Amino acid sequence: MNLVVVFIGLFATLTQALRWSWKNYSPPNTPEWSKLSVTFAKFNGLPMSEKDAIKDGWTKTKSCNDRNYFKGNRYVLNGDTAVMLLFDKNGKIAGIQNGVQVIISNQQ
């Protein structure tokens, strides 16, 4: 009998706690980027949308799919992998990847 009373009391408390937390929930504010740039000797602006990237000469190297270790459509400019842009499925900038050239030498 005591176990039933404890269970009912615990259930009522948790129900009220969950109801309170959802009532006061508001989604987090996410900032909107107005500009994105990289620098090497000077600041270079980057496209903020997939459409602008294509217009500016960026080429898609990989598409969104579950086989890639990154999630997004990846674009490079003139084959340079130093800066690679990732766009989400809606064509909005989602991130940047950087590549470093590795030279393997057989000299000893």
Side-chain angles (χ1 to χ4, degrees), residues 39-99:
T39 182
F40 184 76
K42 67 175 188 145
F43 281 99
N44 295 305
L46 298 173
M48 298 291 292
S49 71
E50 196 168 10
K51 187 171 123 181
D52 289 341
I54 293 167
K55 184 178 72 175
D56 292 347
W58 291 75
T59 355
K60 186 190 291 188
T61 59
K62 292 280 185 173
S63 294
C64 270
N65 66 40
D66 292 334
R67 293 178 300 192
N68 294 328
Y69 62 92
F70 60 89
K71 301 295 182 198
N73 295 316
R74 183 170 66 187
Y75 282 79
V76 298
L77 183 61
N78 301 324
D80 184 5
T81 60
V83 175
M84 297 173 276
L85 300 179
L86 295 175
F87 295 95
D88 65 13
K89 66 180 181 178
N90 299 317
K92 188 174 178 181
I93 188 76
I96 298 176
Q97 286 183 326
N98 299 99

Side-chain angles (χ1 to χ4, degrees), residues 8-26:
I8 291 173
L10 183 61
F11 180 75
T13 302
L14 289 174
T15 303
Q16 290 301 318
L18 287 173
R19 194 175 85 179
W20 179 84
S21 66
W22 283 110
K23 180 176 67 173
N24 295 322
Y25 174 77
S26 63

